[in-house]
Amino acid sequence: MASIQLQSLAHRYPSAPDYALNSMQQSWSDGGAYALLGPSGCGKTTLLNIISGLLRPSEGRVLFDDIDVTDLTTEQRNIAQVFQFPVVYDTMTVADNLAFPLRNRGIAKNEIEKRVADTLQMLDLQDRANDRARSLTADDKQKISLGRGLVRADVQAILFDEPLTVIDPHLKWQLRTELKKIHQRFQHTMIYVTHDQTEALTFADQVIVMYEGAVVQIGTPQQLFETPEHTFVGKFIGSPGMNVLPCEVDGSEALFAGKRISLSKPIDNPTARFELGIRPEHIKLSPSDGMPLNVTALQDVGRHVIVRGEIAGVQLSALVKDGVAIPENPCVSFDSARINLYADDYRVASGRGD
Amino acid sequence: MLELRNITRHQGEDVLLDDISLSMQRGDLNILLGPTLSGKTSLMRIMAGLDKPDSGELLFDGVSVLGIAVQKRNVAMVYQQFINYPSLTVFENIASPLRVARVEKSQINRQVAEVAELLQITQVLDRTPDTLSGGQQQRVALARALVKKADLVLLDEPLANLDYKLREELRAELPALFAAMGAVLVYATTEPTEALVLGGNTVCLHEGRVEQFGPTLDLYRAPASLRCAKIFSDPPLNSAKVECVAGQLAFANSQQKLGINIKQIPDGSYTLAVRPHHLSREREAIDDIEVKGCVSVTELTGSEAFVHFSMEDNPWVALLHDVQDFAVASSVEFYLKPQDLFLFDCDDTLVEWQPTIKS
C-alpha cells in the first residue's frame, strides 16, 4: 500500500473552457480510508480517474510513495478498482472470477486458493463458489466485483467508484460494514467516490467534500457535521442539511429575527453577506420558549419527525426524536454553542455557549 | 379507483405475482415497497396494461381494463432511467403527449406552463435535455408524465438514479405535487426511508406476494409479519429467537435474562424484534431490558453512531444519537423498553401482547 500525493494537480478537458478540477495540493497517508463526496459534476470522478491513471491530468503530478506515477498506465500503477456496475465474466465460475486478477499476476496456485477462499468467506459467497456468474443476481455480481478489488494483497491502493449505488438497502448495510472491517483488518489505502453522505461518512476516516471542481473541506465526519467550513458542506452533509439563515452582525453579536446571538469573537467585515448555520438536530422546540415557528409540514420518518416551518419568512427544519411530543404552536430556540457564522459562505466564527 | 383482484402471473416456472388483490383510490399515493425481484415492476406493468396476468381481474372505476390497449388507457409511467427526447426542447418534451392527443395549442401552452411551474423548471423550457443536470432531466420526465392528467400515474423508482441530496429535495416536494393531481398514484421503491417521507399507503411486497397493505406509518409502527418489519427497517431490524414457558419469556440460545412476564400468550417459540433506534446506552426506567453483546464494527456519521454487535449469534445494530466509538471486540450493554419490542409467532405473524411486571 502507498501514500498518495497530488502536487498542483488540475485538469481541463481539451475542448472545455473551464477547469473540471481546480488546482489542488493533497497528501493522503498510507493505509487511510478516504471518501470523495460531492454532487454529480463536482469533479470527484475526474479526480479518481486521474489517480487510477485512466486520465492524465493537464497540470500537476501524482505521486505514490514519493514516486511520480503521472505518466504511468493504470496497470503499471498496480491498483485495484471497483466500479458502479458489476464487472464479471459471466461464463466463469464465481471462484474463477476472483482468481482471475491473481492468475494474471502469476501468483502461486496455493496462494490463489487461499486468497479466493478468504474472499468468498468475507462476502458470504462460499456456497456459490462453483456456480457460473451468469446465474447470480445483480447484487451478488456486484459482490464479486468488490471481491475482485479486494482479492489482491499487493496493490498500492483500492479505488471504489460508487460501488453500492445499485445495491438494495439491506445488502448495502452488510457490504458497507464488511468494507469497514476489511479496512480495519488489512489497512489498505482506500479511496471511495460517492454522492451518498451516509456511505462516505461511515466508510472514511477523512472525507473530502468537493463542489464545482474544488475541494471545499477535508475532515472527519464529526468535523464536517459540527464545523462545516462552507455553507455548501453544511447543507450537503446531514438529512435535512444545516439551516442557513440570513442574519446581520453587530460587533460580537449576530441578529436573527430580532434575537441577538453571542459570537465567539467580534466580526469586523461590514460588507460581507452574513448567515447563521444551525443544524436541525440542534434546534429545540418548546410551547413558549423562543421564537414562534410557523409550521408548514411535519414528516414522520420513524426514528424522528422532521418539522418544517418558517420564522420571519425564512424556512427552517428541526428534528424531534421519536416519542417526544411536538407542541401545537411551537417556539424554537437554538443551541448557541452549535451555531456557526458564515461571511460570504465561509465560516468565520461560532456561537458562544451560554 | 384501481382494483386488482387475484392477479397472478408466471414466467416459466417462476411465480412473478401470486394472487394479488388491492384497491387504490384517486388522490392517494400508493407505495410499492420491497427488495429487487419482489414483484414491484411486474405489478406496475400489469397495472399499465403492458403485460397481461395469467389470471385475475383489473378494474378502473369499476370497469375491466384488461383487454384495453395501453395506448387507449389514460396511463403515465416514469422509469428509473429518465427518458427524454434529446433533440426536442424541454417545452416540446413536456408537450409531446398533448400533441399526440391533439390538444389545442393554447391549452398545451397553459398546461405545460402549469406543470413546469410546479416542478420548478420554467427557466429551462427553451433548453435541450442534454444541457440539464440529472435532477432537472428527471423533473422533465416527471412533468411529461404529469402534464397529460392521466388517471393512473406509475412511478418506478423515479429517484433511484439521482444524487442523494436531489433525492432528498424531490422527496420533500413530491407529496404536495401528488396531492394536487387527483390520479391514482403508484410509486415503487426499495427504500423504507423514501416510503416514510412520502407517506400515503404502502404495499409491502415479498416474492410476488402482498405482505401487508395500509397507511405507511401504520405498517411501520405495527408490521403484521416479521418479513414486513424487516423490509420496513433501515438500519436493519434486530431480532432473536425467544421461548415462552409458563408466561416467562427468555432468549432461546442464551444465558442472558430477558425478564419479561407475558401471561396472555401460549407457550412456544417466538421471534423478538426491535428497531435499532430503540436501543439505548442508559437504563431510563426500572423495567428496561438489558442486552449484552460484542462489538464487531462501529460506523460514525458525525451526528450518529451505528454500533454493530453480536447479541449471542444474532447480528444486531444500535443507532445512537451522538458520536460514540467502541473498540472492536469490546463488550457493550444496551437497554430496551418493553413497549418498543415486537413479538412474532412461529409463523412470523405479529403477536399482540402487553408487557407486564418484570420478574
Side-chain angles (χ1 to χ4, degrees), chain A residues 120-126 139-140 143 146 164 167-182, chain B residues 234-236 297 299 308 315 317:
Chain A
L120 285 168
Q121 192 193 356
M122 195 162 74
L123 298 170
D124 203 14
L125 281 172
Q126 301 99 308
D139 278 350
D140 279 346
K143 272 193 183 178
L146 278 172
L164 303 183
I167 301 277
D168 268 4
H170 282 82
L171 187 62
K172 221 181 246 189
W173 280 91
Q174 189 197 327
L175 292 180
R176 235 173 55 200
T177 50
E178 278 311 321
L179 278 180
K180 184 109 189 163
K181 283 185 211 163
I182 289 162
Chain B
D234 184 47
V297 65
E299 298 179 291
H308 299 261
V317 55

Side-chain angles (χ1 to χ4, degrees), chain B residues 35-163:
Chain B
T36 312
L37 301 178
S38 59
K40 301 185 299 294
T41 302
S42 303
L43 194 55
M44 282 197 159
R45 290 184 60 86
I46 286 190
M47 290 175 175
L50 293 166
D51 288 333
K52 276 207 172 99
D54 297 333
S55 61
E57 187 54 273
L58 181 71
L59 298 110
F60 202 92
D61 288 342
V63 181
S64 173
V65 290
L66 270 186
I68 302 173
V70 61
Q71 300 85 345
K72 298 205 170 151
R73 298 168 48 185
N74 197 5
V75 178
M77 194 150 178
V78 178
Y79 300 90
Q80 177 177 347
Q81 189 62 54
F82 25 89
I83 302 163
N84 292 307
Y85 301 107
S87 59
L88 299 182
T89 62
V90 168
F91 182 96
E92 284 306 323
N93 262 284
I94 301 171
S96 61
L98 302 179
R99 297 228 191 272
V100 172
R102 297 182 184 283
V103 174
E104 190 204 335
K105 204 174 162 200
S106 62
Q107 174 85 7
I108 291 180
N109 288 341
R110 193 165 62 241
Q111 275 178 244
V112 172
E114 234 176 66
V115 75
E117 193 65 41
L118 213 53
L119 283 159
Q120 300 175 28
I121 44 176
T122 306
Q123 68 285 7
V124 298
L125 283 174
D126 297 332
R127 288 162 59 175
T128 50
D130 62 334
T131 66
L132 305 180
S133 71
Q136 287 171 322
Q137 290 187 46
Q138 187 62 319
R139 281 170 204 254
V140 175
L142 276 167
R144 199 174 54 241
L146 304 187
V147 78
K148 64 179 188 180
K149 302 199 191 306
D151 295 319
L152 176 61
V153 179
L154 304 166
L155 304 120
D156 194 359
E157 300 191 44
L159 308 185
N161 277 1
L162 299 181
D163 274 11

Side-chain angles (χ1 to χ4, degrees), chain B residues 31-326:
Chain B
I31 295 158
L32 307 180
L33 176 68
T36 312
L37 301 178
S38 59
K40 301 185 299 294
T41 302
S42 303
L43 194 55
M44 282 197 159
R45 290 184 60 86
I46 286 190
M47 290 175 175
L50 293 166
D51 288 333
K52 276 207 172 99
D54 297 333
S55 61
E57 187 54 273
L58 181 71
L59 298 110
F60 202 92
D61 288 342
V63 181
S64 173
V65 290
L66 270 186
I68 302 173
V70 61
Q71 300 85 345
K72 298 205 170 151
R73 298 168 48 185
N74 197 5
V75 178
M77 194 150 178
V78 178
Y79 300 90
Q80 177 177 347
Q81 189 62 54
F82 25 89
I83 302 163
N84 292 307
Y85 301 107
S87 59
L88 299 182
T89 62
V90 168
F91 182 96
E92 284 306 323
N93 262 284
I94 301 171
S96 61
L98 302 179
R99 297 228 191 272
V100 172
R102 297 182 184 283
V103 174
E104 190 204 335
K105 204 174 162 200
S106 62
Q107 174 85 7
I108 291 180
N109 288 341
R110 193 165 62 241
Q111 275 178 244
V112 172
E114 234 176 66
V115 75
E117 193 65 41
L118 213 53
L119 283 159
Q120 300 175 28
I121 44 176
T122 306
Q123 68 285 7
V124 298
L125 283 174
D126 297 332
R127 288 162 59 175
T128 50
D130 62 334
T131 66
L132 305 180
S133 71
Q136 287 171 322
Q137 290 187 46
Q138 187 62 319
R139 281 170 204 254
V140 175
L142 276 167
R144 199 174 54 241
L146 304 187
V147 78
K148 64 179 188 180
K149 302 199 191 306
D151 295 319
L152 176 61
V153 179
L154 304 166
L155 304 120
D156 194 359
E157 300 191 44
L159 308 185
N161 277 1
L162 299 181
D163 274 11
Y164 189 90
K165 269 286 144 177
L166 275 170
R167 237 184 269 175
E168 201 175 280
E169 212 173 280
L170 278 170
R171 274 175 191 166
E173 292 170 13
L174 287 175
L177 190 71
F178 291 157
M181 288 176 53
V184 174
L185 286 148
V186 186
Y187 187 111
T189 181
T190 59
E191 296 188 34
T193 317
E194 185 151 278
L196 284 166
V197 172
L198 293 173
N201 300 315
T202 290
V203 182
C204 204
L205 279 172
H206 180 78
E207 292 179 354
R209 261 195 302 274
V210 174
E211 284 287 325
Q212 195 176 356
F213 178 42
T216 302
L217 268 175
D218 291 2
L219 259 68
Y220 177 80
R221 300 216 186 274
S225 66
L226 179 59
R227 199 167 269 147
C228 184
K230 281 185 173 168
I231 291 171
F232 224 134
S233 201
D234 184 47
L237 187 76
N238 299 313
S239 64
K241 295 273 178 220
V242 292
E243 297 286 343
C244 185
V245 180
Q248 287 276 338
L249 215 55
F251 286 117
N253 306 306
S254 164
Q255 300 304 312
Q256 292 193 36
K257 285 215 174 65
L258 196 49
I260 302 176
N261 256 323
I262 316 180
K263 294 292 180 214
Q264 65 271 51
I265 65 165
D267 286 4
S269 300
Y270 294 87
T271 301
L272 181 95
V274 61
R275 291 222 156 85
H277 70 278
H278 286 138
L279 272 64
S280 160
R281 280 290 283 157
E282 270 131 50
R283 181 187 289 282
E284 288 163 7
I286 185 85
D287 57 355
D288 283 2
I289 296 152
E290 187 187 66
V291 291
K292 290 195 178 104
C294 177
V295 174
S296 57
V297 65
T298 308
E299 298 179 291
L300 301 174
T301 68
S303 57
E304 294 175 325
F306 303 114
V307 186
H308 299 261
F309 64 102
S310 51
M311 211 289 290
E312 304 300 321
D313 283 337
N314 307 295
W316 278 35
V317 55
L319 190 174
L320 305 179
H321 282 286
D322 42 15
V323 179
Q324 300 186 45
D325 208 351
F326 297 86

Side-chain angles (χ1 to χ4, degrees), chain A residues 53-342:
Chain A
L54 289 175
L55 189 67
R56 198 187 178 287
S58 57
E59 293 165 31
R61 317 300 302 171
V62 178
L63 278 69
F64 286 3
D65 276 345
D66 301 324
I67 296 162
D68 191 331
V69 297
T70 318
D71 297 314
L72 298 187
T73 62
T74 302
E75 209 183 351
Q76 289 165 329
R77 292 185 192 196
N78 193 20
I79 46 153
Q81 297 185 83
V82 180
F83 300 97
Q84 183 175 352
F85 294 101
V87 181
V88 294
Y89 297 104
D90 267 352
T91 54
M92 284 189 198
T93 65
V94 171
D96 283 341
N97 262 288
L98 294 175
F100 189 76
L102 301 174
R103 290 198 183 117
N104 265 357
R105 298 237 156 204
I107 291 174
K109 197 164 170 248
N110 55 352
E111 175 66 16
I112 291 179
E113 278 169 16
K114 189 180 163 298
R115 302 232 22 121
V116 169
D118 284 353
T119 309
L120 285 168
Q121 192 193 356
M122 195 162 74
L123 298 170
D124 203 14
L125 281 172
Q126 301 99 308
D127 300 348
R128 311 300 301 263
N130 298 315
D131 294 351
R132 300 223 177 267
R134 102 160 57 83
S135 68
L136 302 182
T137 63
D139 278 350
D140 279 346
K141 283 187 182 173
Q142 186 63 351
K143 272 193 183 178
I144 301 178
S145 289
L146 278 172
R148 286 168 49 128
L150 299 167
V151 77
R152 285 170 54 205
D154 63 333
V155 291
Q156 301 276 43
I158 309 174
L159 312 185
F160 301 89
D161 192 359
E162 312 247 3
L164 303 183
T165 300
V166 295
I167 301 277
D168 268 4
H170 282 82
L171 187 62
K172 221 181 246 189
W173 280 91
Q174 189 197 327
L175 292 180
R176 235 173 55 200
T177 50
E178 278 311 321
L179 278 180
K180 184 109 189 163
K181 283 185 211 163
I182 289 162
H183 182 254
Q184 286 175 347
R185 224 172 102 200
F186 300 105
Q187 301 287 308
H188 297 301
T189 305
M190 290 182 167
I191 300 169
Y192 189 112
V193 164
T194 181
H195 60 80
D196 184 317
Q197 51 167 316
T198 311
E199 284 178 37
L201 296 169
T202 52
F203 170 80
D205 310 323
Q206 293 281 316
V207 179
I208 296 135
V209 186
M210 297 184 64
Y211 178 55
E212 293 184 343
V215 172
V216 284
Q217 189 171 356
I218 301 179
T220 63
Q222 198 169 352
Q223 287 167 337
L224 299 179
F225 186 78
E226 290 175 355
T227 50
E229 294 299 333
H230 191 278
T231 54
F232 171 79
V233 178
K235 290 186 217 169
F236 198 76
I237 306 257
S239 279
M242 183 174 75
N243 296 296
V244 178
L245 315 169
C247 69
E248 283 167 43
V249 165
D250 178 15
S252 56
E253 287 182 322
L255 279 85
F256 172 72
K259 193 173 158 33
R260 289 183 170 265
I261 293 155
S262 300
L263 299 171
S264 57
K265 60 180 183 194
I267 302 296
D268 182 25
N269 184 5
T271 57
R273 178 173 50 84
F274 289 106
E275 286 162 314
L276 281 181
I278 179 81
R279 294 218 171 259
E281 290 85 347
H282 302 142
I283 296 181
K284 213 178 127 205
L285 268 66
S286 76
S288 57
D289 186 17
M291 299 168 271
L293 178 74
N294 176 21
V295 176
T296 51
L298 294 177
Q299 284 181 310
D300 189 338
V301 296
R303 67 193 205 221
H304 54 239
V305 178
I306 304 168
V307 180
R308 296 183 195 273
E310 52 179 49
I311 294 175
V314 181
Q315 297 197 348
L316 60 80
S317 319
L319 288 192
V320 178
K321 282 183 202 167
D322 183 25
V324 177
I326 298 168
E328 183 125 9
N329 292 303
C331 291
V332 297
S333 53
F334 302 158
D335 180 349
S336 53
R338 306 285 207 144
I339 286 174
N340 289 296
L341 181 77
Y342 296 87

